[in-house]
């Protein structure tokens, strides 16, 4: 590790001299120590796949050479993520790079086959009782004297030999796997290769069959850098076996852990924001059911932990608190946010053309005052929201509770039931399982986050989110 760290240090000093202080330099400085640690975490048969664009690929390849050794470079995969891109004054940039390195020469690698194209399928132009087949050569360039002999009246040809031993040729002949000429002798180009036995073409280092996610894709969940599940499935199937562990240290909205769960791998996902963890938990539960096994490390588990998070990082505390009620954070804007930290959207009307209703959420990690409730009441009115919720670490005061009780109620268009217009919830109540009062379940459809499609999980592997 020390030697590799020294090599990385030399590379980083050269980068600093060349690039100087810049966004790219900051990114490389962030990645360098992480690559050393990721190599350490890998077992001898493990591999790393690093996705990047063409602007960073050459710098990252030098870092990976230093961290893993140039001898462990396997591929620079070109992923065609879109068909066209309008880049003024240059050719459209429609590809990204995936740098594939192994920890050692003992790497696990499963060769994967794709689907045949129409042009490739057209080669299977013959058909018999065994199905569609193509005729392939029985001979190969000459290397072995034992396979240059005449067989059933046919010689392989000058500087050619039979591809198979005489015993294997006889077996293929007996099974009618060799086409015959009119005189009954074998055709040298007559080996029957059936379509149903073909594994498909092996994948190469240019991937054009997995498009990136379009804005209207059913798979898209709204995360800006979301990758298609098929891309991660290919990587996971190629470099791991069922029961082995897949690690994604920048797991974003959880595409890697989704693909790992689907294919029976154990998994670990790491992200630095509680927003990402909330998205991943929702994604996995939508896809695999509420009882999907997972363990979250790093979230507050009691009030003391919540207070510590609030003191350390206001926004992380807000995102975590919003996750307790399934709310979506609002986009950060300059200036005052008006007390709006998150929203819950739900469709509470028999007419599907009606816009969804909204619950406005305000999170307070510090001292409470009556003006906090007054401000929430005002912003609910201003935004035309149905319900406003104040989430706090402190217990609301009596005047706050009285104000909230006097703000009226929201009546559901579905069932006519009334719900308090302004609601107060403490972190302690939410952690104890006290829910918000709002239309839900069979009455109203929650549209806060786009739902991931349901799937049947393979196995019950325990995953971890950090």
């Amino acid at each position: 590790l020390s030697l590799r760290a020294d090599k990385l240090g030399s590379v980083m000093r050269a980068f600093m001299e060349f690039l100087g202080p810049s966004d790219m330099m900051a990114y490389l400085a962030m990645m360098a120590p992480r690559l050393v640690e990721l190599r350490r975490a890998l077992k001898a048969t493990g591999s790393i796949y690093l996705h990047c664009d063409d602007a960073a690929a050459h710098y990252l390849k030098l870092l990976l050479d230093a961290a893993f050794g140039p001898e462990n470079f396997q591929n620079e995969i070109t992923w065609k993520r879109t068909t066209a891109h309008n880049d003024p004054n240059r050719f459209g940039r429609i590809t990204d790079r995936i740098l594939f390195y192994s920890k050692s020469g003992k790497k696990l690698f499963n060769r994967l086959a794709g689907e045949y194209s129409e042009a490739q399928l057209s080669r299977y132009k013959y058909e018999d009782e065994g199905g569609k087949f193509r005729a392939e050569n029985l001979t190969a360039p000459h290397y072995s004297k034992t396979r240059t002999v005449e067989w059933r009246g046919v010689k392989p040809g000058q500087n050619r030999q039979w591809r198979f031993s005489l015993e294997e040729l006889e077996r293929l002949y007996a099974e009618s796997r060799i086409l015959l000429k009119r005189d009954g002798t074998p055709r040298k180009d007559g080996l029957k290769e059936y379509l149903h036995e073909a594994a498909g073409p092996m994948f190469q280092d240019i991937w054009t069959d997995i498009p990136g996610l379009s804005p209207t894709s059913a798979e898209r969940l709204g995360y800006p850098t979301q990758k298609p599940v098929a891309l991660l499935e290919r990587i996971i199937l190629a470099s791991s076996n069922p029961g082995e562990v897949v690690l994604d240290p920048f797991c974003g909205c959880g595409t890697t852990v989704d693909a790992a769960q689907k294919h029976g791998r154990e998994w670990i996902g790491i992200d630095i924001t509680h927003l990402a963890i909330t998205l991943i938990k929702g994604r996995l539960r939508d896809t695999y059911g509420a009882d999907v096994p997972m363990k979250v490390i790093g979230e507050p588990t009691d009030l003391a932990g919540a207070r510590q998070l609030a003191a350390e990082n206001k926004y992380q505390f807000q995102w975590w608190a919003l996750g307790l009620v399934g709310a979506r954070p609002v986009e950060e804007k300059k200036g005052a946010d008006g007390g709006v930290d998150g929203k819950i959207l739900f469709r509470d009307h028999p007419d599907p053309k009606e816009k969804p209703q909204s619950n406005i959420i305000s999170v307070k990690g510090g001292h409470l005052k009556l003006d906090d409730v007054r401000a929430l009441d005002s912003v609910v009115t201003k935004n035309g929201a149905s319900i406003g919720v104040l989430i706090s670490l402190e217990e609301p005061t009596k005047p706050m509770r009285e104000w909230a009780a006097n703000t009226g109620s929201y009546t559901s268009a579905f069932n006519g039931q009334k719900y308090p217009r302004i609601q107060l919830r403490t972190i302690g109540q939410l952690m104890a399982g006290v829910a918000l009062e709002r239309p839900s379940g069979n009455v109203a459809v929650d549209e806060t986050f786009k739902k991931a499609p349901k799937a049947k999980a393979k196995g019950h592997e325990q995953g971890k989110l950090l």
Side-chain angles (χ1 to χ4, degrees), residues 58-225:
H58 47 300
Y59 299 122
L60 288 168
K61 193 172 180 183
L62 286 173
L63 287 185
L64 286 160
D65 279 346
F68 285 79
E71 70 279 6
N72 290 316
F73 167 72
Q74 303 299 328
N75 287 110
E76 180 175 335
I77 299 163
T78 300
W79 171 41
K80 182 183 176 184
R81 52 182 169 75
T82 186
T83 55
H85 201 275
N86 185 21
D87 287 324
N89 303 318
R90 62 180 174 186
F91 297 109
R93 300 168 69 184
I94 62 172
T95 62
D96 280 350
R97 307 291 182 267
I98 300 173
L99 302 176
F100 169 26
Y101 280 72
S102 63
K103 183 170 183 176
S104 71
K106 301 177 182 179
K107 74 176 188 300
L108 183 155
F109 186 74
N110 302 312
R111 296 193 69 193
L112 302 179
E115 299 292 332
Y116 283 121
S117 66
E118 290 298 323
Q120 291 169 319
L121 288 173
S122 67
R123 296 177 60 191
Y124 293 85
K125 56 186 177 181
Y126 305 104
E127 190 169 3
D128 62 12
E129 62 278 4
K132 288 187 176 182
F133 67 90
R134 65 184 185 184
E136 289 296 310
N137 211 318
L138 278 168
T139 69
H142 170 57
Y143 294 109
S144 170
K145 293 182 179 180
T146 61
R147 295 190 179 186
T148 57
V149 298
E150 181 178 311
W151 172 68
R152 288 189 173 268
V154 181
K155 292 184 178 181
Q158 187 175 5
N159 297 322
R160 304 286 294 180
Q161 68 173 36
W162 299 113
R163 283 174 56 189
F164 309 99
S165 66
L166 295 184
E167 292 78 11
E168 181 67 7
L169 288 171
E170 286 295 332
R171 184 188 69 81
L172 292 170
Y173 184 87
E175 293 178 358
S176 300
R177 296 293 296 261
I178 298 175
L179 295 173
L180 305 179
K181 294 186 288 188
R182 290 183 179 180
D183 62 3
T185 58
R187 280 175 45 178
K188 288 189 285 186
D189 64 346
L191 176 63
K192 294 182 182 180
E193 289 192 355
Y194 287 97
L195 177 59
H196 68 86
E197 296 177 343
M202 295 297 107
F203 288 118
Q204 307 301 310
D205 63 359
I206 299 178
W207 295 355
T208 61
D209 60 322
I210 303 177
L213 298 180
S214 70
T216 59
S217 171
E219 190 180 320
R220 181 173 285 282
L221 301 177
Y223 201 82
T225 60

